Structure formats: C-alpha cells, structure tokens
Amino acid sequence: MSMQQTAEGMTRPAGRPRSEKAEKAIIDATLDLLGEGIGVSELSIEAIAARAGVGKTTIYRRWSNKEDLVVDAMATLKPPIPLPQGASVRESLVTYLKVIAEESRHQRTRCIMNIALSDPDRHPRLAERFREVALEPRREIVRAILAKGIETGELRGDLDVDIAMAIISGAMMWQTKWVWPGEATEARLPERIVEEALKGFRQRAAEN
Amino acid sequence: MSMQQTAEGMTRPAGRPRSEKAEKAIIDATLDLLGEGIGVSELSIEAIAARAGVGKTTIYRRWSNKEDLVVDAMATLKPPIPLPQGASVRESLVTYLKVIAEESRHQRTRCIMNIALSDPDRHPRLAERFREVALEPRREIVRAILAKGIETGELRGDLDVDIAMAIISGAMMWQTKWVWPGEATEARLPERIVEEALKGFRQRAAEN
C-alpha cells in the first residue's frame, strides 16, 4: 500500500488526510484479496486489516460490517458514468457501451465482480446494495437516453423501455462474458448491438 | 443417495446397473456440495466420495480430474432442448425462452451455475468445457431458428445473426439475473423480449 508510515506525533506529510489514506488502503486491500480469489464468505476483517497495514478498529470505525465494505470497494470499480450527450440515440448508446466495454477489459475487475456476486443467495444484502449503488445509476443512463429519444420522436412512442434496456445491456454482457470473452471481443461490438437494436426501436417514419 | 446397499456377492437388485447408480450418486453429491456454496477450488474428491457413499477410486475410474466431473455434473442441469417447431419465428423463440425461464426459476440451479462459473480466470478449462457442452448447443438452437426465419423471408436477409442471438439470450439473462431476480420475474418476459426484438429483425414488407 502507498500510505506513508510515520510515527505517531511526527509532522504529517503533505497530501490527503490520514483517514482518507487509510480508507484507500482498506479498499485496495479488500479488492486485492477478492481479486486473488477469496470469496466473500472467506474474507475476514483480520485479513483486510493485515493487508492494509491498519488496525481492525480503523476498519470498524468506518464500516460496521464486511458486506458494506465489500460493496463500497466494488463500487469504486463502477464509478458513475456521465450521461452521454450524443447528437442521436445511436451516438449516445454507442458512447455508453464503449465505456462498459472498456471496463470489462480489465481482468481484475471482471474477476472481482464474478467472485463477489457469485452467490446472491448467500449474500442477498450485498447483491441488493451493489445493485443500488452501482447498477441502478447505470440503468438510469440507458433509460434517460431512450426517454429522450422517444421525446424527440427518434424512437417509437410505444417502445417497451424496460425490455429495450435489457436488450442493450444484456446483449453487451452476453457477448463479452460468454461468447467472445476477454480479449477476443470484437472492437465494433457496441456499434453492432446499437445498430441492430435501433432497427426495431426507431420510428417507422424516421426510417429510410 | 438412493443406491441400495447390498453386500458384495449378493444377488444384485433389479434396476440400473450398479455403475450407473454410483455415477448418479457422484453427480448428485457434486451438485449438492456446489449448491451448499462450496467453490470449485475448495471442492475435493474426498468430500464428493464421502457424500456419495463411494470410494475415491470409483470416482477416478470415471473422471480423471475434478473439473471434468464438475462439467458433467453441471451439464445435467442444462439438458439438451429440442429445436422448437413453431409456426413462426416468434412462436419458436418464445417457446425456447420459456424453457430457459423455467430453468432459471430453480434456486439450486442458479446457485450452482453462479458458483461454478464465478471464476473463469481461475478455472478456464472448466468455463471453456461448460461452454462447449451446455451453452453452445443452446446457442445453436437460436441460430437455427433465426436462419430458418431468414430462409423463409420472415426475417431480414441482412440480419446480424450473432448480435441477434446476443439480443435474445442476453436480454433474458440480464432481466432475470439483475433486474427481476428470482420470483419477481414477470411471466410474459419471453413474449415481451421476442416481440420487441422482432420489430427490428423482421422484413419491412412483412410488417404492419
């Protein structure tokens, strides 16, 4: 970890406050351990404290339980994505999917997501909170892009928006996770998904 | 397990041959242990043998390693699906997705899939073989339905078939796994996905 070791009472080095550095070290330690293949059930506050070079109480001051810490750690891998301001629905959706594609290229991220979310039946609160903090904000982006497209008349007024969201995000996940996993994923995947999907989503009148 | 205990040398009971019963007990034990949350890395041949009530050599006579056994056990949860013979692409795709929806309702199946496939980077051969024996045959069904639809003129000749497959299966997985997990999944989900997707997949002339 990158936190500078200073004896208590010494002048603090410039930079972030100590607590913020400790927090980052704890988050990094949690992600490292998950990335090494330790399941959420096996993960212990002791192991995280040891890896982060902090005391257990430092962790408990900030997180009252392991699942909350895991959610916060995983959320750092899914930072907020700004709402794309494309000139068309096509452009905005492609921009969005390219960010998602870029994220899924990181092996550590993929690995941690797989492990931490592998067992929603055993860790229902974790899966639920992860959905809230990391997935819902992203679903709202797709919803906003589609809603704007309906408003401007670019998309059909009777579009089944929930299903359209599942088509865009689901096709992306399916293809990167199952069919072309990892490096093999084709570079034009976002464009191909959006173009095929929009053939059905668009207003008839707006077409050819 | 259901295998009848008979002393060696006694008349064998009627029914399946002994080796087939042992095989079933081994498969069941493997699925039970995975379903209880034991990861593939932690799963041991010893534990499977103990649970199945067989010796380790009985297992090794049939499977030379743990990953092959796990693949065979998981494949029993994804039996072959017959090619739907619907009167239309819509009917065939809906029939197919209803089978998938029914499968994903079983909590044990969901749980085992999640655990066994949670870590493709640690068990690449397992993920690869599972794709071969369980996922590819299903992808071929969707491909065959779409190919027939193109042939009959029901679907566009320039349909991006790989992407169309990802749209159908991905939307289903996305919605059941993330958005409406478990029981909450809406009964008409297969119809809604297929209807929305086909709006783009269909020949223009065949519409309205």
Side-chain angles (χ1 to χ4, degrees):
Chain A
M1 64 152 202
S2 62
M3 192 173 124
Q4 282 175 255
Q5 305 288 342
T6 60
E8 293 294 332
M10 278 186 65
T11 310
R12 288 262 309 288
R16 296 187 185 187
R18 188 188 185 93
S19 67
E20 215 176 293
K21 285 189 178 176
E23 190 166 308
K24 183 171 184 319
I26 293 163
I27 295 276
D28 284 348
T30 306
L31 294 175
D32 278 351
L33 290 166
L34 289 170
E36 287 164 17
I38 296 181
V40 175
S41 304
E42 289 76 55
L43 192 66
S44 71
I45 294 289
E46 282 78 4
I48 296 168
R51 179 69 66 102
V54 302
K56 288 202 308 181
T57 51
T58 306
I59 297 181
Y60 283 120
R61 255 200 300 273
R62 174 72 182 76
W63 291 279
S64 63
N65 64 73
K66 178 174 71 172
E67 294 197 344
D68 286 347
L69 168 53
V70 170
V71 168
D72 283 353
M74 293 197 333
T76 66
L77 301 176
K78 298 271 180 195
I81 296 176
L83 183 63
Q85 302 292 340
S88 63
V89 172
R90 181 191 179 284
E91 200 182 313
S92 293
L93 287 178
V94 168
T95 301
Y96 172 76
L97 286 188
K98 279 181 187 288
V99 177
I100 304 292
E102 188 52 40
E103 273 184 4
S104 73
R105 249 188 281 283
H106 296 292
Q107 198 222 311
R108 182 163 170 268
T109 299
R110 283 206 316 279
C111 184
I112 291 170
M113 291 298 152
N114 279 330
I115 290 164
L117 300 173
S118 67
D119 203 354
D121 296 308
R122 256 161 115 204
H123 301 284
R125 219 173 69 90
L126 188 146
E128 177 62 33
R129 282 220 47 221
F130 181 71
R131 227 187 338 255
E132 269 170 43
V133 306
L135 295 182
E136 283 303 328
R138 283 147 180 248
R139 290 188 71 231
E140 287 314 310
I141 289 177
V142 181
R143 189 187 291 282
I145 296 172
L146 296 175
K148 193 180 157 202
I150 293 172
E151 207 188 287
T152 62
E154 196 177 342
L155 304 185
R156 289 168 20 233
D158 66 346
L159 182 69
D160 188 337
V161 175
D162 280 323
I163 298 300
M165 290 162 66
I167 282 175
I168 294 291
S169 299
M172 188 71 191
M173 182 174 68
W174 179 264
Q175 204 68 7
T176 48
K177 190 174 165 81
W178 287 116
V179 185
W180 295 328
E183 309 307 318
T185 299
E186 202 242 316
R188 283 196 73 256
L189 182 59
E191 286 89 345
R192 286 175 65 186
I193 290 173
V194 171
E195 281 158 19
E196 193 57 61
L198 284 181
K199 289 210 164 78
F201 297 176
R202 283 205 188 101
Q203 284 269 29
R204 285 290 159 265
E207 276 191 328
N208 96 350
Chain B
M1 62 155 199
S2 63
M3 191 175 124
Q4 281 175 255
Q5 304 288 342
T6 60
E8 293 293 331
M10 279 185 66
T11 310
R12 289 262 309 288
R16 294 188 186 186
R18 189 189 185 92
S19 66
E20 215 177 293
K21 285 188 177 175
E23 191 167 307
K24 183 171 183 320
I26 294 163
I27 294 277
D28 284 348
T30 305
L31 293 176
D32 278 352
L33 291 166
L34 288 171
E36 287 164 15
I38 295 183
V40 175
S41 304
E42 288 76 56
L43 192 66
S44 71
I45 294 288
E46 282 78 4
I48 296 167
R51 179 69 66 101
V54 303
K56 288 201 308 181
T57 51
T58 306
I59 297 180
Y60 283 120
R61 256 201 299 272
R62 176 70 182 77
W63 291 278
S64 62
N65 64 73
K66 179 175 71 174
E67 293 196 344
D68 286 349
L69 167 53
V70 170
V71 168
D72 284 353
M74 294 197 332
T76 67
L77 301 176
K78 298 272 180 193
I81 297 175
L83 183 64
Q85 302 292 339
S88 63
V89 172
R90 180 192 179 284
E91 200 183 312
S92 293
L93 286 178
V94 167
T95 301
Y96 172 77
L97 286 188
K98 279 181 186 288
V99 177
I100 304 292
E102 188 53 39
E103 274 184 2
S104 72
R105 250 188 281 280
H106 297 291
Q107 198 221 313
R108 182 163 169 268
T109 299
R110 281 207 318 278
C111 184
I112 292 170
M113 291 297 152
N114 279 331
I115 289 164
L117 300 174
S118 66
D119 203 355
D121 296 308
R122 255 161 115 203
H123 301 285
R125 219 171 71 90
L126 188 146
E128 177 64 30
R129 284 219 47 222
F130 181 70
R131 228 189 336 254
E132 269 169 43
V133 307
L135 296 182
E136 283 303 326
R138 284 148 179 248
R139 289 188 71 230
E140 287 315 309
I141 290 178
V142 181
R143 189 187 291 282
I145 296 171
L146 296 176
K148 193 180 157 203
I150 292 173
E151 208 186 288
T152 63
E154 195 176 343
L155 303 186
R156 287 167 23 233
D158 66 345
L159 182 70
D160 188 336
V161 174
D162 280 322
I163 298 302
M165 291 162 66
I167 282 174
I168 294 291
S169 299
M172 188 72 191
M173 182 174 70
W174 179 265
Q175 204 67 6
T176 49
K177 190 173 165 84
W178 287 115
V179 185
W180 295 329
E183 308 307 317
T185 299
E186 202 242 315
R188 283 195 74 256
L189 181 58
E191 287 89 345
R192 285 175 64 186
I193 290 173
V194 171
E195 281 158 19
E196 193 57 60
L198 284 181
K199 289 209 165 80
F201 296 175
R202 282 205 189 102
Q203 285 270 27
R204 284 291 158 266
E207 275 192 327
N208 102 351

